[in-house]
Amino acid sequence: MFIKSVRKVATLIDRKTSLGIISLLLIASVSLVTIPVLKSHASLSSASIEVIGFHWTKFPIKILVDMNQWSISDYAFAVREAVNVWQMSIWTYCSSFNDTTLAILNFAFYVSDVNATTDYDVFITFTADEISTDVVGLTSYQWNPVSHEAQLPVTINLTTYSRTASHLFVKNIVMHEFGHALGLGHASTQDTQNGPELMYYSTSAERTNYPSTLDLYALCMVYRGNFKQSVQLPANIPYEIVQPKTDVLSDPPPDSTHLVSDDLSASILKAFFDAIQQVWHTDQTYLVVLVISIFVLIIVRVIDRKK
């Protein structure tokens, strides 16, 4: 079975002290390998996760998706879905465990050819080929080890195999790499009690993944100012995936905001024009009419959800 093996390479790029500030760069890469899926030998009760050493202090975190020549409109939706899952899993965790530490986390979403901005915090871009042998994703980030503030921008690179990668492939890479962008390292176990651990070194490319209670508890520690290198769950929190509740969008935790600068309708409109362009030259009018009808229905549903 094809799974993604994530290996983390830490590189110290600058140990010179300037006014007491040291700049650090870490790189996390995702590799595509062929190995069987094996149960982790580590006990679930002793599961732990590394934290990188930085956190975000200014919100919303602005995410820019670079729709370059190695992307298609669907990849913007895949990235947005990955960010949405993180946001909704955070809200679900806040609600389930009465912990609003992460309620400060919210995100602004931008697409380069829809609502581009030069004021971004996380830059997500695509490449035609593997970044290096077997490496399909790469995240780099810097932080100030004195203040633990992230230095901008955090960059996520991922391959689309010349625009042939699937929606789920892109979403899963972004799900894992975005965990690094938020401040998480890697988890010690492959499985939780009810599903795969998103931040483990390897994860299936063929199923939707979710953050775990371990991932979110570790983020709580980070955003409380605890940068201990390894975090374990307390006994009162079960180790399980945090699948978003269906009602979290209508009932977010206190002091939180919805994803801002959404422009989802604009993204839908771009996908609409891409689809029209693809079928226009077929001289089959019924296909054009069908595509128009589908996108009108989608836009109506989006408008209804925002009311």
Side-chain angles (χ1 to χ4, degrees), residues 171-191:
K171 179 181 175 181
N172 280 346
I173 293 176
V174 174
M175 281 289 298
H176 179 98
E177 295 302 318
F178 197 65
H180 291 314
L182 290 176
L184 293 176
H186 289 124
S188 63
T189 55
Q190 181 173 330
D191 299 294

Side-chain angles (χ1 to χ4, degrees), residues 70-92:
W70 307 118
S71 66
I72 59 176
S73 296
D74 182 60
Y75 296 159
F77 284 93
V79 173
R80 178 54 191 270
E81 285 181 19
V83 175
N84 272 347
V85 170
W86 267 105
Q87 180 75 89
M88 292 188 290
S89 292
I90 287 170
W91 289 350
T92 298

Side-chain angles (χ1 to χ4, degrees), residues 56 58-64 79-91 102-110 115 119 121-122 124 178-183 211 216 219 223 255-263:
W56 297 91
K58 297 179 181 178
F59 304 98
I61 299 172
K62 304 180 188 72
I63 303 161
L64 175 64
V79 173
R80 178 54 191 270
E81 285 181 19
V83 175
N84 272 347
V85 170
W86 267 105
Q87 180 75 89
M88 292 188 290
S89 292
I90 287 170
W91 289 350
L102 300 181
I104 60 172
L105 289 178
N106 58 92
F107 313 99
F109 191 75
Y110 300 90
N115 60 339
D119 180 26
D121 304 312
V122 179
I124 300 177
F178 197 65
H180 291 314
L182 290 176
L216 297 170
L219 281 181
Y223 286 88
D255 301 321
S256 68
T257 61
H258 286 63
L259 288 165
V260 298
S261 299
D262 185 282
D263 272 319

Side-chain angles (χ1 to χ4, degrees), residues 24-210:
L24 300 178
L25 170 67
L26 283 179
I27 299 175
S29 64
V30 181
S31 303
L32 187 64
V33 296
T34 308
I35 57 176
V37 177
L38 300 175
K39 275 283 188 180
S40 172
H41 294 292
S43 168
L44 294 184
S45 62
S46 63
S48 63
I49 188 170
E50 301 170 353
V51 297
I52 294 171
F54 73 84
H55 62 176
W56 297 91
T57 58
K58 297 179 181 178
F59 304 98
I61 299 172
K62 304 180 188 72
I63 303 161
L64 175 64
V65 182
D66 177 29
M67 301 302 291
N68 60 19
Q69 67 269 36
W70 307 118
S71 66
I72 59 176
S73 296
D74 182 60
Y75 296 159
F77 284 93
V79 173
R80 178 54 191 270
E81 285 181 19
V83 175
N84 272 347
V85 170
W86 267 105
Q87 180 75 89
M88 292 188 290
S89 292
I90 287 170
W91 289 350
T92 298
Y93 180 90
C94 289
S95 174
S96 299
F97 298 99
N98 195 29
D99 186 343
T100 60
T101 302
L102 300 181
I104 60 172
L105 289 178
N106 58 92
F107 313 99
F109 191 75
Y110 300 90
V111 179
S112 62
D113 54 0
V114 177
N115 60 339
T117 180
T118 57
D119 180 26
Y120 54 84
D121 304 312
V122 179
F123 184 70
I124 300 177
T125 190
F126 307 95
T127 62
D129 303 309
E130 293 176 347
I131 297 162
S132 60
T133 304
D134 293 331
V135 176
V136 297
L138 187 74
T139 298
S140 59
Y141 32 84
Q142 300 180 66
W143 75 92
N144 179 330
V146 177
S147 66
H148 295 282
E149 293 184 14
Q151 303 295 303
L152 308 182
V154 169
T155 301
I156 297 175
N157 291 274
L158 57 146
T159 182
T160 65
Y161 292 108
S162 298
R163 298 162 45 121
T164 63
S166 71
H167 179 98
L168 185 58
F169 178 91
V170 171
K171 179 181 175 181
N172 280 346
I173 293 176
V174 174
M175 281 289 298
H176 179 98
E177 295 302 318
F178 197 65
H180 291 314
L182 290 176
L184 293 176
H186 289 124
S188 63
T189 55
Q190 181 173 330
D191 299 294
T192 72
Q193 294 175 0
N194 64 342
E197 167 57 63
L198 173 65
M199 298 308 297
Y200 186 64
Y201 292 86
S202 62
T203 183
S204 172
E206 300 174 355
R207 61 185 298 178
T208 300
N209 297 311
Y210 300 97

Side-chain angles (χ1 to χ4, degrees), residues 240-256:
E240 58 191 19
I241 62 172
V242 181
Q243 190 165 350
K245 294 179 180 178
T246 57
D247 60 348
V248 291
L249 283 177
S250 60
D251 187 24
D255 301 321
S256 68

